Amino acid sequence: MECGGITIRRSRLDIIIAILKIAQDGAKKTQIVYGANLNSTIANKYLTSLEEKQLIEQKGVFFVTTDKGKLYREMASELDIY
């Protein structure tokens, strides 16, 4: 992201929350890549990590935010982290 000529990087948490939001009702990897503005390699790393932490699960070609992932996202919102 660029702001007045200065590049602003998103935090890891911002990216995680974006992915959890996109996958809330199920999303293909391509939708996550475009929706979270990531490249495929980076998206794969995040999806693998989120699966390991049981915040997201793969159902066929779709990634779906788990109940644990939804709770994580809600808690981040309540704390004004996101």
Side-chain angles (χ1 to χ4, degrees):
M1 181 186 312
E2 192 168 309
C3 181
I6 299 171
T7 301
I8 300 172
R9 294 176 51 134
R10 292 179 291 167
S11 73
R12 183 169 164 76
L13 182 60
D14 288 335
I15 295 169
I16 290 168
I17 298 301
I19 292 170
L20 293 175
K21 183 177 181 181
I22 294 163
Q24 187 163 339
D25 297 317
K28 291 183 179 180
K29 185 174 131 183
T30 305
Q31 293 171 297
I32 293 169
V33 167
Y34 285 107
N37 195 25
L38 301 170
N39 69 42
S40 185
T41 303
I42 300 296
N44 283 335
K45 290 179 183 178
Y46 276 97
L47 291 171
T48 299
S49 176
L50 292 172
E51 281 185 290
E52 288 171 358
K53 291 173 176 51
Q54 299 176 344
L55 298 176
I56 204 167
E57 63 185 344
Q58 188 169 3
K59 294 183 176 181
V61 297
F62 292 94
F63 290 90
V64 181
T65 303
T66 63
D67 289 339
K68 182 178 176 181
K70 290 175 184 175
L71 181 60
Y72 181 89
R73 189 172 155 246
E74 287 172 18
M75 289 175 58
S77 294
E78 285 179 23
L79 295 171
D80 290 328
I81 293 172
Y82 182 74

